[in-house]
Amino acid sequence: MKKMILLSGPCVIESYENLRVIALGLKALNQNPRIDFYFKASFDKANRTSLDSYRGPGLEAGMEMLGEIKKEFGYKIITDIHESYQAKTIAKVADVIQIPAFLCRQTDLIVEVAKTDSIINIKKGQFMNPADMRYSVLKAIKTRGGDKAEYSQSEKYNVWLCERGSSFGYGNLVVDMRSLVIMREFAPVIFDATHSVQMPGAGGGKSGGDSSFVPYLAKAAAAVGVDGFFMETHPDPKNALSDGPNMVSLDLLPDLVGKILDIQGVLK
């Protein structure tokens, strides 16, 4: 049976102590034989709404901390990239390099990541037609030696796509479940359940959100059929330094993941 991919961890690295607390809380999920687990945290949040918002420790310090988590817990690691020059440094630690949604069409960025051995997770822009994400996939596949006829074999080339909602007016996102079906024609699809409940710019110089809707969207995506889930988590979301309103509390995450696995089990 194919394992469910799970990408989980804090939105941003706040401190090594906080990172380790969250890593400890995710050990059971990593040990679940039905889950292909990746620990997620960003070393930099380069697209914060305000210049005054916390961004993270930066590339060198951030990757060093993620490397320590990988060494201690044996976790596979996923983190974001923002500039092309960062690819080689990130790839020394990260098993998956994530292209942020706002940068999903940035050719140079995709190409540089595709030159590494890491899996590429390309987040669909909130402004993108899901059918057009095939072209971002093709950029990676062609860089890795494939051709246009092989975009449906993206798993072979270690390229994933990630759904995180679409802009619905100002300060709101919705999830069109059709996009999961459409994008799955081009690549394995990860459903980002936490960013999909984000309310961009609704927090007075930062993004708001409503994490109470995360379980509903996640279970709906499981019923539609996806290859994995992205769910950010924190022991105290209300006091998190980034995306707190969207994140699932660390103590509630295992139960939600269990329900998703149950849905997948029924479908299979």
Side-chain angles (χ1 to χ4, degrees):
M1 182 182 294
K2 189 175 180 180
K3 293 183 178 183
M4 181 189 82
I5 299 165
L6 178 62
L7 318 176
S8 190
C11 178
V12 66
I13 299 172
E14 299 180 4
S15 67
Y16 185 72
E17 292 72 24
N18 176 263
L19 205 62
R20 192 172 181 277
V21 165
I22 296 170
L24 281 167
L26 295 171
K27 284 183 71 173
L29 294 176
N30 180 61
Q31 294 167 354
N32 190 316
R34 298 174 62 188
I35 295 174
D36 182 16
F37 180 78
Y38 297 79
F39 184 80
K40 184 271 167 186
S42 298
F43 60 83
D44 182 21
K45 302 301 294 184
N47 61 348
R48 295 303 303 270
T49 304
S50 169
L51 187 63
D52 297 324
S53 296
Y54 177 76
R55 288 182 53 169
L59 178 63
E60 292 186 11
M63 295 314 300
E64 182 178 352
M65 284 187 264
L66 288 173
E68 288 298 316
I69 293 294
K70 186 172 190 174
K71 181 179 179 181
E72 179 177 354
F73 294 93
Y75 292 162
K76 290 179 285 189
I77 300 294
I78 172 172
T79 195
D80 306 283
I81 186 171
H82 303 285
E83 301 282 353
S84 299
Y85 76 86
Q86 298 172 339
K88 291 181 180 179
T89 300
I90 295 172
K92 293 176 182 178
V93 175
D95 302 272
V96 182
I97 300 178
Q98 183 165 275
I99 308 290
F102 288 131
L103 302 176
C104 67
R105 292 179 49 158
Q106 293 297 104
T107 301
D108 290 345
L109 195 60
I110 294 172
V111 167
E112 286 306 308
V113 175
K115 290 178 181 177
T116 73
D117 293 327
S118 301
I119 297 168
I120 309 172
N121 186 37
I122 308 174
K123 303 194 81 171
K124 178 182 75 63
Q126 302 91 320
F127 47 87
M128 287 290 292
N129 174 354
D132 286 343
M133 289 303 296
R134 75 182 78 190
Y135 302 112
S136 293
V137 171
L138 280 173
K139 290 174 184 179
I141 287 177
K142 287 186 175 182
T143 302
R144 289 185 163 172
D147 59 38
K148 185 175 182 179
E150 295 182 291
Y151 72 78
S152 62
Q153 300 179 37
S154 55
E155 193 166 5
K156 168 184 173 183
Y157 295 98
N158 287 324
V159 184
W160 301 342
L161 288 174
C162 185
E163 168 62 54
R164 50 106 356 115
S166 299
S167 296
F168 188 71
Y170 297 118
N172 197 24
L173 300 174
V174 297
V175 178
D176 180 356
M177 291 291 166
R178 297 176 300 175
S179 70
L180 304 176
V181 180
I182 293 167
M183 293 198 300
R184 220 169 177 209
E185 296 178 19
F186 321 129
V189 169
I190 310 298
F191 179 61
D192 182 347
T194 45
H195 285 100
S196 289
V197 301
Q198 192 179 64
M199 296 176 182
K206 58 184 179 180
S207 292
D210 188 345
S211 62
S212 69
F213 288 108
V214 170
Y216 300 103
L217 291 180
K219 288 184 284 188
V224 171
V226 292
D227 301 276
F229 291 85
F230 179 113
M231 286 189 277
E232 290 181 338
T233 187
H234 194 280
D236 184 13
K238 289 183 179 180
N239 290 304
L241 298 182
S242 178
D243 274 354
N246 316 322
M247 286 196 279
V248 178
S249 181
L250 186 60
D251 61 333
L252 300 178
L253 185 64
D255 181 65
L256 175 55
V257 172
K259 289 176 180 177
I260 291 170
L261 289 169
D262 287 344
I263 292 170
Q264 291 184 324
V266 169
L267 292 175
K268 289 176 180 178

